Amino acid sequence: MIKKLSLISLFTLMPASFYFAQTTVYAYVKDQEGKPLEKAEVDLAQSSDDVTADKIGYFQFVDLKPGHYLITVAKPNFESKILEFDVTEGEKRKDLGVVTLNYTLGSDAGVIVVDDSASDTEDGGSSMQPTVGLLSSGRDAFQNVSAFELGAYWFRPRGVDNRFEDVLFNGVSMSKNDDGRIDFNNWGGLNDVTRYPYENVDNITPSEYTFGNLGGVVYYNTRASSYRKQTSLAYSFTNRSYLHRAMATYSSGLSKKGWAFTFSGSRRWGDRAIIDGVYQDAYAYFASIEKKFSDRHSINLTAFGSPTYRASNAPNTQEVYDLMGKNYNSYWGWQDGEKRNSRIRNVFEPMFILTDYLKIGKNSNWTNTVSYQFGSDARSRLDWFHASDPNPTYYRKLPSYGLLTADEFRQQSQIDWNYLYNSNRLNLTQMDGKTLREAVYTIVEDVNKDKTFNFSSHFDTRLKDNWKLNINFNYQNLKSDNFRRIKDLLGANFAKNLNAFNGDAKYDADNADITVREGDRTQYSYELTRNHYALNISSEIDFNKWNVVASIFSSYSEAYREGKFRSGLARFRDNSKGKSAVYDALDAGIKGKITYKINGKNFIVYNGAFFSLAPTLNEIYINPRMVDYVTPGVTNQMINSNDLSYVLRGQILKLRLSAYYTTIHNATEISRYYADVNDGTLGNSFSTLVNEAMSGVNKRYMGLELGFDIKVTPTLSAVGVASVGEYKYTNNPEVSTFDDLNGFRGTDVWGKANIKDYKVAGTPQKAFSFGLKYNSPKYWWVGASANYLMDQYLDFSALNKTPYMYTDPQTNDPFPGATPELIELITKQKKFDNQFMLNANAGKSFQFGKYRMGVSVSVNNILNNRNYVTGGFEQGRNVNFSDALADAQRETPYFGPKLWYDRGITFFTNVYLRF
């Protein structure tokens, strides 16, 4: 059939050569197995009239005058190839033969190992979330470098974090309802089947499949027949968050009877990574089965999951790092000769997706998807009842406090599991005529069990050859069961379900039995329900000089809490158990993209977006573990974002220069920590665990982006990136808190947080990268990049920035001695030093008949720079002027910021075999 199509194409085009003296040049583009490559882009250096290969890989240029020419043949996921040829006088047709493109090695070598163990802790983990870019390279130099070079150091393009990004599987959003973030653990280890997104749009660029957000959209199509027919085996060795990874993937291709199968599985494991006491054991599976009934209709069933067991690492103060080194982790201790970590994340949330693909007429497609996801996400930690804090880095145990010397601290720097077990064994009590051991120390798990049903419908049609219309509808129902349970009694027979920090009040007042055992729920138990409906319509019109895309959306959501425990505290009794009022929200927005085609290589692109964003469940309820109270001032965020780009897609130089400006209004930010809030005069103490909310938060993100890729020679490329941004708060938002002792306290107590012009934390605000890569015609490559990161800031505590910090409540005047200079000393946001990082990578592929093998290695931070702070947060402990000033003036503060440092030299090696 292909030969017949080729002859038809040839004889159809041949007559054109008789009418002109110029030459027609043609060729066929194929992969290494000799299969045609459709839609390969062919760029003629001497002309702006580029062409695209057809279904049989055929392309041609007509009317070429005599001379020397150079073309570049490119296709995503394949290595580009440059051809040079001469056209002579009188030559009517020139056959360049078959142009073979090799699969790119970069897709196997540039694997980013996302280690988000820092996000497993409640201690400020939000600033440590990975981004979509870390798992999926973009389409231009800037996006690729952001993902694979700067992304390794927690750089976030435009300052946008995980909350504002979208990942879709067959139209189903993977964002979590509690905080809006994406949990990559749900498909971790499935690199073979998620390597090449079906759609990948950057920033606010409109998507065909959803309205999107600020941080772009990655859309995966898991249709079994869309995967190449092959078997792939791979093994990786690394020193990052695990040591070993093994993967196997099989794709059958589409059979004559209309069946297609794709299966993939992996395991990641290891317990001797860089950070002490960190270990991991994670499996992953993927199955996709498609039945094609006709050329117009097929159904696909997909199932995937990634059961993961992973230990976490602790943030530490600088004093602790100076004593113990940058690899120190306080979460573990020795037990029976083995390292045992108290902070374990055990997550398994499998997903099942059924998709119906229907082609209607010549120009329309209708895709409908239903999905169901369930499972649990459990995170363990030490808990104690009327006992001392077992944390080895508790401030009273640090040498700066004066009770222990540096050597004594080092000797006691890990969790003493024997002490915890002995404490429980010695705590005897009489119950039902028996002598039982009552736990003073336990391991508890905070468990989240979600059941999520989704329905997604996508319809697209071509109204005209240059006019496309997309319609998307989504419905989601979530039922989220949240509770704390006893995981390990550490040798005891039972524990008490009582609030030791509030007069031993019952956590579950309706239950006469105050004892709990392993597997029982303790302290809190509640369910959250959310229904969400969304409609998105987008359209694209293409003209000779202009391309216009417009997208609108509207959505409605409703949520409520249903408590399972009635609080033993009388003031919360009526708001703790039972169904709450429904919180609903209506959203709408518009996006647009306008492209002006200066010529075939130069473009001006404008993107604009204005939309609202409903609060997440975590933002709606200030303390859902205790009560159904809604966060004061919580409302929809209003987002306005614009960018303007110049894009050059030349033969030698590819470049994008962008300017962007984004504002976010009415955001809500929640933090939870222990605070000392003595009033400073009356001796009253309100020290307790607080839930802090900033509402009405306004932020601004602005900056410039430059990315370029220069072909210095046909085999040597230079790639450079510059990101110069400023991400800051632009107002002083309202502050409120909720805690068990005091209930609500708002601005009448705290005042507003004076954070205007403070910088957004969690990412360098300026970043630069320059790299060289050599691609040998003999299928090996080597590359290196230099990276410079600037303007990284510490996340702050809002209470420490309120007037309460330095104001006498009796006079409303500053405390004596609270001068502007001293107030600035204790409230100024910390800025970290700029850092330089060097990366390198290399690889080679081999062909043995139908077998293809590849070997690659990438090394980050070759200079072993251990001074780069990847994230951190200010402790909110001291919320009174005298204590905060005394601590700030100490050579070694008791409550200095807690930090995570880069791990130094890390490597990732990979070898694969495909056939």
Side-chain angles (χ1 to χ4, degrees), residues 111 137 150 178 332 373 514 698 711 836 876:
V111 177
S137 64
L150 299 173
D178 56 353
W332 69 274
Q373 186 176 24
I514 62 171
N698 297 340
K711 284 282 186 183
F836 176 79

Side-chain angles (χ1 to χ4, degrees), residues 132 143 157-168 173-177 179-182 199-219 472 474 530 532 534 536 551-553 555 587-593 607-616 619 636-643 660-665 667 699 701:
V132 169
Q143 294 298 328
R158 303 189 182 184
V160 173
D161 68 14
N162 196 329
R163 165 74 169 91
F164 298 99
E165 297 170 334
D166 281 314
V167 172
L168 306 177
S173 173
M174 300 301 293
S175 297
K176 294 295 184 181
N177 282 277
D179 59 7
R181 300 182 185 278
I182 300 163
E199 182 189 56
N200 190 347
V201 299
D202 310 322
N203 307 310
I204 57 172
T205 302
S207 163
E208 292 187 16
Y209 299 96
T210 185
F211 182 77
N213 209 308
L214 280 176
V217 175
V218 176
Y219 181 96
N472 301 297
N474 297 89
R530 184 174 185 265
H532 180 75
N536 164 234
S551 179
I552 60 173
F553 98 105
S555 71
D587 279 327
I590 184 170
K591 280 186 176 183
K593 176 184 178 183
N607 285 286
F610 181 71
F611 59 96
S612 61
L613 190 63
T616 64
E619 294 165 348
N636 295 26
Q637 299 183 55
M638 299 302 298
I639 297 175
N640 186 3
S641 184
N642 299 268
D643 66 46
Y660 60 90
Y661 186 91
T662 299
T663 60
I664 299 177
H665 287 174
K699 291 181 279 189
Y701 301 76

Side-chain angles (χ1 to χ4, degrees), residues 8 94 97 206 568 738-739 852:
I8 291 171
K94 188 175 189 68
F738 176 87
D739 61 77
R852 185 163 57 93

Side-chain angles (χ1 to χ4, degrees), residues 880-893:
N880 66 83
F881 177 75
S882 58
D883 289 348
L885 179 61
D887 201 47
Q889 291 177 330
R890 291 189 182 98
E891 182 177 352
T892 305

